[in-house]
């Protein structure tokens, strides 16, 4: 979402200035002892297409509105509102909406970052190794899941980063289904 918003801001700036805007920076999520937010990094096409909503300002406002949603009921209303205003919701937008669900789920599990690329789902746990998260019931639940489902996922530590990897995840829906049991 941050990347899409930055791209739209850059496009908007280009239109206003009639000059080329520079490259954008992708901002990291904010995290402390527990996960406050979860960054999603993907190579999938999850966006509001230009053909669906042509006005850049409107797309930007809808991205911001989506990013602020915190409840399932509000997310459902958001999707209904899109359908009412702009017609049938394209696949890319449905995937974008599901990315919000994935972010909530990942945050609840204890991921500060999720990478969904090359048919893999990699969740990166809280970076602070001294975080009370690692003594929490949530983390214990993750460990038990990994022990009982070692063919579905692998946990590893690389450069002091603990991650959980699932193979053959080709969509946001599949990612949600993979994480749901945890």
């Amino acid at each position: 979402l941050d990347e899409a918003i930055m791209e739209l801001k850059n496009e908007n700036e280009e239109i206003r200035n009639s000059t080329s805007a520079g490259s954008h920076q992708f901002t990291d999520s904010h995290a402390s002892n527990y996960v406050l937010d979860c960054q999603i990094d993907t190579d999938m096409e999850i966006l509001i297409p230009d053909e669906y909503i042509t006005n850049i300002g409107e797309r930007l406002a809808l991205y911001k509105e989506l990013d602020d949603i915190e409840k399932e009921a509000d997310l459902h209303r958001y999707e209904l509102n899109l359908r009412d205003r702009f017609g049938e919701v394209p696949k890319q937008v449905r995937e974008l909406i599901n990315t919000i669900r994935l972010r909530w789920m990942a945050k609840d599990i204890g991921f500060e970052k999720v990478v969904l690329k090359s048919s893999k789902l990699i969740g990166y746990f809280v970076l602070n190794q001294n975080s009370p998260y690692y003594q929490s019931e949530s983390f214990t639940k993750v460990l038990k899941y990994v022990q009982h489902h070692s063919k579905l996922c692998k946990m590893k530590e690389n450069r002091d980063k603990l991650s959980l990897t699932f193979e053959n995840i080709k969509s946001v829906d599949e990612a949600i289904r993979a994480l749901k049991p945890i």
Side-chain angles (χ1 to χ4, degrees):
L1 284 174
D2 288 338
E3 190 172 323
I5 288 170
M6 291 300 290
E7 286 177 10
L8 285 172
K9 283 181 181 177
N10 285 343
E11 284 179 29
N12 209 9
E13 194 70 27
E14 287 175 10
I15 291 170
R16 261 193 266 125
N17 297 335
S18 298
T19 61
S20 175
S23 65
H24 58 82
Q25 294 289 321
F26 191 79
T27 58
D28 288 331
S29 64
H30 305 290
S32 62
N33 287 343
Y34 289 98
V35 180
L36 296 179
D37 198 6
C38 178
Q39 174 188 339
I40 305 287
D41 185 9
T42 183
D43 58 2
M44 296 178 185
E45 190 176 14
I46 53 170
L47 52 84
I48 300 172
D50 298 353
E51 310 82 52
Y52 185 59
I53 300 174
T54 56
N55 183 294
I56 292 171
E58 186 135 31
R59 280 198 320 269
L60 181 59
L62 287 168
Y63 279 121
K64 286 181 181 178
E65 181 183 340
L66 181 61
D67 193 42
D68 290 339
I69 294 174
E70 295 181 0
K71 297 178 184 166
E72 182 62 38
D74 294 335
L75 194 58
H76 184 68
R77 272 192 291 281
Y78 177 88
E79 188 170 359
L80 290 175
N81 183 42
L82 285 179
R83 188 173 293 121
D84 288 346
R85 291 176 62 196
F86 306 104
E88 189 58 36
V89 178
K91 181 183 179 197
Q92 303 98 312
V93 178
R94 283 193 313 272
E95 288 278 284
L96 177 65
I97 291 168
N98 280 336
T99 300
I100 299 299
R101 290 181 178 103
L102 176 64
R103 186 171 78 185
W104 293 339
M105 188 178 290
K107 191 172 138 184
D108 287 345
I109 291 169
F111 295 143
E112 289 182 335
K113 180 177 181 180
V114 170
V115 176
L116 194 53
K117 292 183 176 181
S118 304
S119 298
K120 281 186 186 178
L121 164 66
I122 306 170
Y124 292 93
F125 290 96
V126 174
L127 189 56
N128 177 2
Q129 293 178 348
N130 297 319
S131 170
Y133 166 76
Y134 291 107
Q135 281 74 46
S136 72
E137 189 176 315
S138 295
F139 187 63
T140 301
K141 188 176 177 183
V142 171
L143 291 176
K144 287 179 181 176
Y145 181 84
V146 172
Q147 286 175 333
H148 292 99
H149 299 90
S150 61
K151 292 183 181 178
L152 296 177
C153 57
K154 302 285 182 227
M155 185 179 279
K156 67 179 180 179
E157 187 173 5
N158 187 10
R159 296 185 194 165
D160 296 330
K161 289 183 183 179
L162 185 64
S163 66
L164 184 62
T165 303
F166 292 81
E167 300 284 341
N168 299 314
I169 305 294
K170 297 177 178 76
S171 70
V172 175
D173 284 341
E174 287 181 20
I176 289 171
R177 282 193 297 275
L179 295 179
K180 197 167 194 163
I182 300 176

